[in-house]
Amino acid sequence: MILQKFRRGLLGRFVKFGVVPSVLVVVTIVGTTTYLNIISKFADLRELATSHAEFFASKRETGNQTAIGTLFAMSLALENGLYANKAGTLRYLQSVAQANPMFGVFVAYESIGALPKNSTDTGAANTVTIDKATDETGRFAPRFDHDPTAPESILLRTMNNISESVLYKSAMQNFSNGNPRKIIVTEPHMSEGEMVNEFVLPISIDGKFVGVAGITRPFSAAVKAIKELALEHEMNFLLLTDKDVFVAAYAGDPSASEQTRATFEGLSGKPLQKTEWATSLGA
């Protein structure tokens, strides 16, 4: 199929972008009417898709480098005294989140390495706040996210059962294998209604694994940009990762039905192979 060749060409071109494969993105455009229409406009579509794919990939990569630098700074701060001060950790994480409006930040202590649940200091964060950042097992696992309903507001949440997550177990495994500075990057996935991926790094004190520090990066900017492009060009846009997972899609074709629009907008987080485009866009 012509779209298969189109997609493979884009994948080959953008392998150079990204620290790890999961952050690579590819834009493909589905023609607005018939297969003949796709063929007749293929050259124009390829040029348009290629330029936007390059933009998304390079912009995402810039943000990834910022996330990695921020994550290393968080880890070093925790390993050099901050870990023992829960209230100070909360203030530090909140300031990092405020300085990076496109990031969510979190830490999770190992139960055996965490201080008692009621540990506090004389700083602004009191015991009540620390309790809010501690799960029912006594694990200190705060996460700061930006409130989508109030741009200037930061939300503090507790990550429950974090020790059972793939990202936490992977960080522990890396540490055990002698890779304490290897960053875990999760595949893009849906979390609380939006597409995100996480960057996670083990925390090491006195040669022991004592928890993880992490950053959450949403794809909200890419989702917004896909919608704007689709409406501008009056075409249907699809944004996928190199692992064949939809990040965003929008039907900009003016003749598209409401059902078609709903189908496109519901693609985020779905594997390509489980959609109607598996044949036309699949490898």
Side-chain angles (χ1 to χ4, degrees):
M1 296 287 287
I2 193 168
L3 285 178
Q4 290 177 321
K5 295 179 181 178
F6 178 30
R7 182 171 178 276
R8 283 198 297 269
L10 283 173
L11 280 172
R13 176 164 181 170
F14 298 116
V15 165
K16 63 183 179 181
F17 290 102
V19 178
V20 294
S22 64
V23 301
L24 300 179
V25 293
V26 174
V27 175
T28 56
I29 304 174
V30 176
T32 58
T33 53
T34 65
Y35 180 67
L36 289 177
N37 189 40
I38 295 175
I39 295 176
S40 64
K41 294 185 176 181
F42 180 70
D44 291 339
L45 291 176
R46 180 172 55 190
E47 181 178 352
L48 182 63
T50 300
S51 63
H52 289 307
E54 185 172 17
F55 170 78
F56 281 122
S58 59
K59 191 172 182 66
R60 189 74 186 175
E61 169 63 357
T62 298
N64 288 339
Q65 293 296 337
T66 301
I68 289 170
T70 302
L71 182 56
F72 273 119
M74 289 169 54
S75 177
L76 289 172
L78 289 161
E79 292 173 349
N80 288 276
L82 194 59
Y83 182 89
N85 183 347
K86 287 184 177 180
T89 297
L90 290 176
R91 292 194 297 271
Y92 174 70
L93 293 179
Q94 185 174 23
S95 67
V96 172
Q98 289 172 335
N100 296 278
M102 291 307 295
F103 296 164
V105 298
F106 61 89
V107 300
Y109 287 9
E110 267 284 85
S111 295
I112 58 173
L115 299 179
K117 184 175 180 180
N118 62 356
S119 174
T120 186
D121 67 3
T122 58
N126 57 27
T127 304
V128 174
T129 304
I130 292 174
D131 285 351
K132 187 177 179 181
T134 306
D135 70 13
E136 58 187 15
T137 69
R139 184 188 298 274
F140 186 60
R143 171 178 166 176
F144 284 94
D145 291 301
H146 293 267
D147 185 349
T149 64
E152 301 300 321
S153 180
I154 305 293
L155 299 175
L156 170 61
R157 301 172 181 172
T158 300
M159 298 183 296
N160 292 309
N161 302 316
I162 181 66
S163 63
E164 300 303 314
S165 68
V166 173
L167 63 88
Y168 195 91
K169 290 180 178 179
S170 297
M172 286 187 67
Q173 188 62 51
N174 279 351
F175 186 86
S176 298
N177 292 340
N179 297 307
R181 284 292 176 262
K182 183 177 181 180
I183 294 178
I184 303 296
V185 183
T186 66
E187 287 297 315
H189 60 94
M190 295 300 292
S191 176
E192 299 182 4
E194 69 175 341
M195 181 70 76
V196 302
N197 68 335
E198 290 100 359
F199 295 71
V200 183
L201 192 64
I203 304 171
S204 172
I205 296 179
D206 296 330
K208 297 180 180 179
F209 175 84
V210 296
V212 300
I215 284 177
T216 299
R217 286 205 68 201
F219 284 81
S220 52
V223 173
K224 180 181 178 182
I226 284 293
K227 180 178 180 179
E228 292 174 348
L229 287 170
L231 293 173
E232 177 186 354
H233 296 287
E234 297 186 344
M235 304 181 83
N236 302 336
F237 274 63
L238 305 171
L239 179 62
L240 301 92
T241 71
D242 70 315
K243 299 296 185 182
D244 289 340
V245 176
F246 282 99
V247 173
Y250 196 84
D253 182 356
S255 65
S257 66
E258 289 302 314
Q259 181 176 352
T260 298
R261 295 185 193 283
T263 297
F264 270 70
E265 293 182 46
L267 286 174
S268 292
K270 292 185 178 180
L272 173 63
Q273 291 304 316
K274 293 186 178 181
T275 70
E276 62 188 89
W277 290 278
T279 301
S280 60
L281 297 181

